[in-house]
Amino acid sequence: MIHAENVSKRVQVADSELCILKGTSLEIKRGESVAIIGPSGSGKSTLLGLLAGLDEPTDGDIWLAGEHLNALDEDGRAALRLKLVGFVFQSFQLLPGLTALENVMLPLELRGDRRAAKVARDYLERVGLAHRLDHYPRQLSGGEQQRVALARAFAPQPDILFADEPTGNLDAETGASVNDLLFSLNAQSGTTLVLVTHEPILARRCARRITLSAGEIVEDSGEVVPA
Amino acid sequence: MNHLRWLMREWRGGELALLLVSLVLAVTIVSGVAGFADRLQRGIVGESHKFLAADLVLKTPRTLPDSALDKLPSVVERALVVEFRSMVVAANAMELASIKAVSDSYPLRGELTVSETPFGAAQTTLEVPASGRAWLDSRLFPLLGLEVGDELQLGELTLIAERALLTEPDRGTSFYGMGPRVLINAADVARSGVVQAGSLVDYRYLFAGTEEQLQAVKTSLQPELTASERWQGLDDSQPQIAKTLQRAERFLLLAGSFGVALAGVAVALAARRYSQRHLDTVAVMKALGAGSRQVTSLYVGNILLLAILATLLGWVLGLGVQNALFAMIRDLVGFSPPAGTLRPLLAGAITALLCVVSFALPPVLRLRSVPPLRVLRRDLGNESLSSGVSAFAGIGGLFLLMLWYTGSIELVLAVLVGVSAILGLAGILVLRLFSAMRGWAQGAGGVLKLALSAMVRRRQANAFQVVSLALALMVLLCIIAARSSLMKEWQLQLPADTPNHFLINIAPEQVGPVNDWFERQGIDSAGVFPMVRGRLVTIDGRDVQEIPEIEANRGSVNREINLSWSDELPGDNRLTAGQWWPDASASLPRVSVEDEFAERLGIAVGTKLGFRIGGLPLEAEVTSLRSLSWDSMRPNFFLLFEPGVLDSYPSSSITSFYLDATDKVLLNDLLRQFPTITLIEMDAVIRQARTVVEQVSAALELVLVLIIGCALLVGVANIQASLDSRLHENAILRTLGASRQLIRTCLLAEFAMIGLVAGLLAGVGAELCLYLIQTRLLDMSASWHPLFWVVSPLGAAFVVAVSGWWFCREVIVAPPLQVLRRL
Ligand SMILES: Nc1ncnc2c1ncn2[C@@H]1O[C@H](COP(=O)(O)OP(=O)(O)OP(=O)(O)O)[C@@H](O)[C@H]1O
Ligand SMILES: [Mg+2]
């Protein structure tokens, strides 16, 4: 489903060049759930962004669902994301001007889905927010906002879900319930899950764990434990 | 995705409201003010054509051949006016009167006012006297001992005095407009037998029609004309009023285009804020798979829909403004406004489009290139909004807008020079200031340190704010200053007690009695000036008839000139060259010459002039040149001699004085006592001129109010632009334990500093702009405005601080948590 070969990312900082990712390769299969862990600053978010096609690698190649990302421009990658990818972010990233329902409808509408409202309502119900459809993000708690974000991520039924510390901004209890929700939705839809996290508990719920350190993969449970 | 639904969703964010208001204001200004100016202008021009009683007049000393007149386009309205002086004789008295004979279609513009009895109640009429009837100045009834219905004699013609004539639209335009008026029908001229070959008669052919028709008349008659015939349009008959109107029109256009410029700035500010607040939205949408084309289409669609909405609203408001303006000055204008045209509405729509394209679209279009990675790294994509391109597009758009709107490249350049001067100055100054502040902030303590470092931290946003505020202020200052100097000049031109009557031909022995009469009646005269009539025949020994250089100005020498003398320089004269009667004795008598007259004839200090006065020669040397104000309506002279030089020539005197309309009956007494004196009545002309000035001034005031509205809008947009970051920062400061007092002081200090710098820049920019506007555009002398340099910074500091505090007061009172949650 996802294939990365020798991917590196370097950025220019002041006069010196900073190497964030150093020739990383990995392979993620359909339906797999993968946790990317590692210390802060090790390059987890960078890797996630590259795999999702939000950015371009300095070197190396990435394939997403068989499509060679390097060959696509930003619009091409956007079209691919629209078809295949869902996101959950640490900072929720709901649009403040839209209600919960409209936020969930957004990716469906972007695809031109005529049943957007119905599907969105359905998913909000699944995350337990059927009674908060017309509330704006600022009227919701952090946990509720993240549940809206989950509904938005799953509603278009993506093939791959990328999540960057989905519970990083939440307390342990709320985080746990959001996690439960995430995995149950994931289980229902059989989505490939790529998840960046600090939390060992969350990481352990994934079938496979990739550990990054200073821009390099230092451990990959998926390779140690034969599938 | 559905554009309309998207617009509705976006609308709730609140940022579009300001954008819409700014666009609506731009459309309103153009379609409202331009429409109003256009209609007022047409109305006033129409009104002013009444001074001519026509749109175009041909003045000639002879009748034109019928063959020439028959060739004229038949759609053009025509009338004939014949004027001459003649005695009118009643049973017991006779009087030299100014006879005016008019054809039935007279007047083509304007109307006559008459009354059924002498000095009676005025009523307007479009009729003229029938053949055999005469309408007389009220004064003539007592002078001739006539009653309404009595007979009087004009040459061989017997006329019945039917009515009193109070005013004629074109009274002031005639050389013979002196002495009491008798209005008769043109058909009676021949029968009176008064007009013989060689008598001094003034024929005026009046025409009215469209501009093209009038042009056709001119072209068609041109081959018939000789040097003694002259065309009169509005410009010739009322140079002062034409000039006033021209300036007023330019001022309105200037104010209007400034208003549009301000609205443009507000649009730019609002669009910038809108884009800024949508960086995250676009990043999320892109992460969710929206392509840049989809993003562009949604946002551009949004803005275009908004522009359409703004155009519709602006049209409605613009028409409302037009009518409101007319309603407010209805009593002043004295004419019903001509119908509006579609042009201002079209102009409004194009303005909205141009505003959107050059001010709103550049920042919005850049949303397209927000990287989706921003969802993971918030710092990405910010830089895409701060670029010189949008400033460039904005200024370019402004240039086009104003050029198209005013049609005057000079005006636009003056504004743009001011704008770029202020932009450049602002850039340098503000950045200098901020780097200095970094140092001060280190040294300062407490609140000041906080305020200073806040300024430094937001220096880009602040610089932008300072510049746009300065721009709005500058525009306001320019408009206010230009307006007040225009008004001052008009008022100077026509103070309320401007002399409105002239007496000429006062014999030397009558000077004392006339002065006594003034004293008895309590009338202040402008002083009695002696004068001798003579011709200028040689300049430096050359016969003026043979000097080719003055061919174009031969009119100045082909007639008798009034010569006077004075010991002292008259109060309203100013020396422009030479000395006023220098002490060194000269061989020749000395003379002082009016400077424009001197320039026309190539006369300078030291030139020797030869005169012929009553058949006798006189040679004099020019020792000084003077400028004088003809508008003062005081007796003024091209040529002033040393006292004594003209003593041996026959002289008469001239004076002018102010007389209220209600006191006009006193003139009867004056003329009865001094029958040989000629009275010239200028009151109607002056009254008309003053009305026009009042109308135009009122219009300017109202337009000024609209411009102030625009400037306020820019101020609001400006403060809103930085509201988010301020609210956020201050909420954080408060959670960190800063007191409300501290934050309030800090906010006030920061805003006051922004206002101060903007005000100072505006003062400098306005001074520069005004210099150009006054010297290049309004033909006035430049003046300094030292007050600007003080009032503008202090005033701006105050206003910006107070309104900034007002908009940010929420962060001071609301619990910080609420503020933080909202952001
Ligand atoms: N565009 C960039 N410019 C400069 N530095 C960058 C850029 N992108 C990433 N970095 C740096 O690269 C390193 C890795 O960043 P990344 O966000 O991938 O870390 P992370 O593993 O997600 O950390 P965290 O767990 O704290 O989220 C960091 O030190 C970050 O500052
Ligand atoms: Mg990270």
Side-chain angles (χ1 to χ4, degrees):
Chain A
M1 194 73 203
I2 303 173
H3 178 62
E5 225 172 80
N6 217 10
V7 171
S8 54
K9 180 73 182 176
R10 289 184 296 274
V11 291
Q12 202 68 36
V13 184
D15 324 304
S16 64
E17 212 184 40
L18 182 70
C19 194
I20 309 172
L21 278 181
K22 301 166 185 163
T24 308
S25 302
L26 61 87
E27 169 86 43
I28 297 174
K29 301 202 174 59
R30 177 176 289 276
E32 233 182 337
S33 64
V34 180
I36 301 176
I37 52 180
S40 184
S42 54
K44 305 185 293 291
S45 298
T46 306
L47 179 61
L48 185 85
L50 288 174
L51 295 181
L54 293 177
D55 199 7
E56 293 175 65
T58 317
D59 282 314
D61 298 281
I62 302 172
W63 286 265
L64 196 64
E67 292 268 4
H68 190 195
L69 286 188
N70 304 51
L72 298 172
D73 61 358
E74 170 46 39
D75 279 346
R77 294 196 302 263
L80 196 63
R81 282 199 297 273
L82 191 60
K83 221 162 59 188
L84 299 174
V85 177
F87 278 102
V88 182
F89 307 103
Q90 176 174 7
S91 50
F92 320 143
Q93 299 283 17
L94 298 179
L95 302 188
L98 306 190
T99 61
L101 182 65
E102 288 165 347
N103 263 292
V104 179
M105 282 165 66
L106 186 64
L108 296 161
E109 288 178 321
L110 285 173
R111 295 176 177 202
D113 191 333
R114 291 186 173 282
R115 300 169 307 124
K118 192 187 165 304
V119 174
R121 208 171 283 127
D122 185 37
Y123 271 85
L124 277 168
E125 205 166 309
R126 287 205 214 175
V127 300
L129 287 173
H131 57 298
R132 309 295 295 269
L133 297 181
D134 294 326
H135 288 209
Y136 288 91
R138 63 169 177 278
Q139 296 166 316
L140 301 172
S141 74
E144 287 160 347
Q145 288 188 45
Q146 196 61 308
R147 271 146 69 192
V148 175
L150 285 180
R152 180 176 71 183
F154 282 103
Q157 298 184 302
D159 288 352
I160 313 165
L161 184 75
F162 290 99
D164 191 3
E165 310 207 25
T167 55
N169 279 0
L170 302 173
D171 63 77
E173 211 170 308
T174 318
S177 77
V178 167
N179 283 337
D180 291 345
L181 200 55
L182 171 62
F183 280 98
S184 84
L185 286 169
N186 195 46
Q188 287 168 30
S189 52
T191 311
T192 311
L193 178 68
V194 181
L195 182 129
V196 167
T197 183
H198 274 117
E199 291 162 58
I201 317 168
L202 186 52
R204 247 173 276 129
R205 295 178 75 160
C206 295
R208 176 179 169 195
R209 283 167 301 282
I210 295 172
T211 311
L212 273 185
S213 180
E216 288 180 289
I217 297 181
V218 292
E219 196 190 329
D220 187 341
S221 67
E223 287 185 343
V224 177
V225 182
Chain B
M1 194 185 276
N2 185 317
H3 279 103
L4 209 58
R5 184 177 329 146
W6 184 249
L7 176 65
M8 260 138 72
R9 282 187 194 166
E10 292 284 279
W11 178 257
R12 280 177 290 172
E15 303 88 6
L16 284 179
L18 192 63
L19 194 58
L20 181 72
V21 172
S22 313
L23 281 175
V24 167
L25 202 71
V27 178
T28 305
I29 285 184
V30 174
S31 57
V33 175
F36 170 72
D38 172 55
R39 285 166 75 187
L40 183 74
Q41 171 73 11
R42 279 186 293 133
I44 291 177
V45 165
E47 191 76 343
S48 303
H49 276 138
K50 296 177 190 168
F51 285 99
L52 287 174
D55 295 336
L56 179 70
V57 171
L58 178 67
K59 202 165 135 56
T60 154
R62 61 186 179 113
T63 49
L64 293 182
D66 284 341
S67 58
L69 291 171
D70 288 344
K71 275 188 296 190
L72 295 180
S74 58
V75 279
V76 179
E77 292 179 75
R78 275 154 48 181
L80 173 66
V81 174
V82 187
E83 277 191 52
F84 51 92
R85 298 180 79 186
S86 174
M87 289 307 250
V88 283
V89 184
N92 305 314
M94 56 159 88
E95 197 70 36
L96 183 61
S98 160
I99 316 292
K100 178 169 178 173
V102 295
S103 62
D104 292 335
S105 50
Y106 171 91
L108 300 180
R109 296 281 181 260
E111 57 211 2
L112 296 167
T113 57
V114 296
S115 75
E116 297 305 330
T117 55
F119 306 105
Q123 60 189 77
T124 59
T125 178
L126 288 174
E127 291 169 25
V128 299
S131 177
R133 310 279 148 155
W135 297 355
L136 318 181
D137 255 2
S138 290
R139 281 186 296 112
L140 265 179
F141 286 90
L143 273 181
L144 293 173
L146 287 176
E147 297 290 331
V148 170
D150 287 352
E151 289 189 346
L152 70 157
Q153 207 67 34
L154 172 66
E156 292 158 17
L157 185 71
T158 305
L159 294 159
I160 292 174
E162 187 184 30
R163 278 170 161 175
L165 176 68
L166 302 184
T167 65
E168 310 146 48
D170 55 341
R171 176 147 220 178
T173 63
S174 162
F175 180 66
Y176 296 100
M178 50 179 74
R181 173 72 89 206
V182 174
L183 187 73
I184 61 171
N185 196 292
D188 288 344
V189 174
R191 288 200 279 135
S192 72
V194 188
V195 173
Q196 312 280 336
S199 32
L200 269 175
V201 181
D202 178 30
Y203 294 89
R204 278 179 291 135
Y205 289 86
L206 275 48
F207 303 98
T210 63
E211 216 141 294
E212 300 88 73
Q213 290 168 355
L214 296 177
Q215 201 50 52
V217 169
K218 275 191 172 180
T219 324
S220 162
L221 286 181
Q222 210 58 51
E224 304 288 336
L225 303 186
T226 64
S228 56
E229 268 120 14
R230 211 151 53 77
W231 290 106
Q232 287 185 319
L234 180 58
D235 291 356
D236 315 300
S237 68
Q238 297 289 325
Q240 207 49 61
I241 284 174
K243 219 161 138 189
T244 301
L245 279 175
Q246 218 166 36
R247 284 182 182 182
E249 188 192 0
R250 280 177 167 188
F251 183 89
L252 281 175
L253 290 175
L254 183 77
S257 57
F258 273 177
V260 173
L262 284 185
V265 171
V267 167
L269 285 168
R272 204 180 131 90
R273 178 162 194 253
Y274 174 69
S275 313
Q276 212 129 36
R277 294 197 118 194
H278 282 77
L279 291 174
D280 286 333
T281 307
V282 171
V284 169
M285 294 202 335
K286 284 194 162 180
L288 293 177
S292 50
R293 187 165 327 138
Q294 200 170 9
V295 168
T296 309
S297 141
L298 275 180
Y299 279 88
V300 171
N302 237 351
I303 299 291
L304 289 183
L305 276 175
L306 210 65
I308 292 172
L309 192 64
T311 303
L312 295 177
L313 284 173
W315 278 351
V316 173
L317 287 176
L319 288 176
V321 164
Q322 282 186 26
N323 290 326
L325 288 174
F326 273 114
M328 284 161 84
I329 62 165
R330 189 187 312 131
D331 295 338
L332 278 177
V333 292
F335 57 85
S336 53
T341 57
L342 280 181
R343 196 180 166 274
L345 294 188
L346 187 71
I350 295 179
T351 302
L353 199 69
L354 263 174
C355 266
V356 157
V357 167
S358 56
F359 297 117
L361 280 189
V364 170
L365 272 179
R366 265 181 280 117
L367 281 176
R368 185 185 44 178
S369 49
V370 171
L373 195 60
R374 187 180 159 88
V375 294
L376 295 177
R377 298 189 54 89
R378 286 292 311 271
D379 58 321
L380 290 178
N382 284 324
E383 71 283 352
S384 62
L385 282 186
S386 50
S387 122
V389 179
S390 70
F392 197 73
I395 290 182
L398 209 63
F399 182 82
L400 280 181
L401 253 179
M402 292 178 60
L403 188 64
W404 174 71
Y405 184 30
T406 63
S408 158
I409 196 148
E410 221 173 281
L411 180 118
V412 178
L413 280 180
V415 173
L416 282 187
V417 165
V419 168
S420 23
I422 206 169
L423 282 179
L425 251 174
I428 296 166
L429 221 127
V430 171
L431 290 180
R432 274 273 160 82
L433 196 71
F434 286 139
S435 47
M437 273 182 190
R438 212 191 287 260
W440 301 344
Q442 252 116 54
V447 180
L448 195 59
K449 179 172 184 147
L450 262 176
L452 283 175
S453 51
M455 293 232 13
V456 176
R457 219 174 20 256
R458 271 195 292 273
R459 62 183 168 280
Q460 255 190 337
N462 280 341
F464 190 74
Q465 222 171 338
V466 164
V467 170
S468 59
L469 261 183
L471 211 65
L473 267 174
M474 185 180 98
V475 165
L476 206 58
L477 289 177
C478 283
I479 300 275
I480 289 175
R483 174 197 145 273
S484 63
S485 64
L486 264 185
M487 303 266 272
K488 207 187 295 165
E489 218 178 59
W490 287 337
Q491 247 117 58
L492 276 185
Q493 277 167 18
L494 298 168
D497 57 351
T498 303
N500 54 4
H501 291 81
F502 283 81
L503 288 183
I504 61 174
N505 283 335
I506 307 173
E509 66 276 9
Q510 285 174 324
V511 170
V514 165
N515 272 329
D516 290 345
W517 185 84
F518 280 142
E519 210 164 297
R520 266 204 313 284
Q521 306 296 345
I523 294 171
D524 273 337
S525 80
V528 177
F529 297 85
M531 72 181 208
V532 165
R533 289 176 68 77
R535 272 173 201 279
L536 177 64
V537 285
T538 63
I539 296 174
D540 272 336
R542 294 164 74 193
D543 188 336
V544 289
Q545 300 302 332
E546 277 145 31
I547 303 177
E549 298 93 277
I550 63 168
E551 190 54 53
N553 296 304
R554 195 153 314 270
S556 306
V557 292
N558 270 350
R559 58 185 173 91
E560 288 202 309
I561 318 171
N562 297 332
L563 313 174
S564 185
W565 62 91
S566 175
D567 197 13
E568 280 169 20
L569 185 66
D572 53 357
N573 287 198
R574 231 164 17 87
L575 272 196
T576 56
Q579 269 182 292
W580 186 252
W581 311 152
D583 288 334
S585 65
S587 49
L588 285 174
R590 297 177 294 190
V591 63
S592 173
V593 184
E594 193 261 345
D595 56 359
E596 282 178 25
F597 180 84
E599 195 185 316
R600 281 202 296 275
L601 299 182
I603 295 170
V605 171
T607 305
K608 296 188 175 55
L609 303 178
F611 297 91
R612 183 157 281 275
I613 303 169
L616 302 170
L618 170 71
E619 180 121 23
E621 182 177 341
V622 177
T623 56
S624 66
L625 301 182
R626 291 165 295 130
S627 72
L628 46 83
S629 89
W630 292 106
D631 301 327
S632 71
M633 296 287 174
R634 281 154 205 287
N636 266 311
F637 299 94
F638 285 134
L639 297 145
L640 272 182
F641 284 83
E642 247 180 314
V645 175
L646 298 177
D647 282 359
S648 52
Y649 300 94
S651 75
S652 68
S653 289
I654 175 171
T655 186
S656 66
F657 58 96
Y658 172 77
L659 195 65
D660 209 75
T662 52
D663 294 334
K664 283 203 76 145
V665 67
L666 291 177
L667 296 175
N668 298 336
D669 184 50
L670 180 76
L671 291 173
R672 203 172 288 131
Q673 280 194 39
F674 308 101
T676 54
I677 293 179
T678 307
L679 171 73
I680 303 176
E681 292 157 289
M682 299 289 288
D683 50 342
V685 181
I686 291 176
R687 200 165 43 239
Q688 278 166 315
R690 188 174 291 122
T691 316
V692 169
V693 167
E694 273 166 13
Q695 291 164 8
V696 173
S697 309
L700 298 194
E701 297 284 310
L702 291 165
V703 170
L704 184 67
V705 169
L706 273 171
I707 302 300
I708 291 177
C710 286
L712 281 179
L713 195 71
V714 173
V716 171
N718 210 309
I719 288 168
Q720 290 221 330
S722 66
L723 203 57
D724 291 341
S725 69
R726 263 175 235 283
L727 285 176
H728 192 215
E729 198 173 290
N730 289 317
I732 289 172
L733 278 176
R734 273 189 64 197
T735 57
L736 293 180
S739 70
R740 289 176 182 198
Q741 179 63 37
L742 177 80
I743 289 185
R744 185 182 305 132
T745 318
C746 194
L747 268 177
L748 284 176
E750 196 188 339
F751 276 121
M753 260 187 286
I754 289 176
L756 193 78
V757 178
L760 199 64
L761 284 170
V764 179
E767 196 77 82
L768 189 72
C769 257
L770 278 173
Y771 174 78
L772 291 175
I773 289 171
Q774 287 181 325
T775 54
R776 295 284 144 80
L777 211 67
L778 299 179
D779 302 322
M780 306 191 306
S781 50
S783 54
W784 283 101
H785 307 84
L787 216 57
F788 279 9
W789 301 72
V790 183
V791 173
S792 159
L794 294 184
F798 179 76
V799 172
V800 175
V802 168
S803 48
W805 167 77
W806 172 260
F807 279 102
C808 293
R809 73 194 184 287
E810 190 182 353
V811 75
I812 301 169
V813 284
L817 183 65
Q818 274 183 23
V819 178
L820 283 178
R821 274 191 85 141
R822 226 168 41 94
L823 293 170

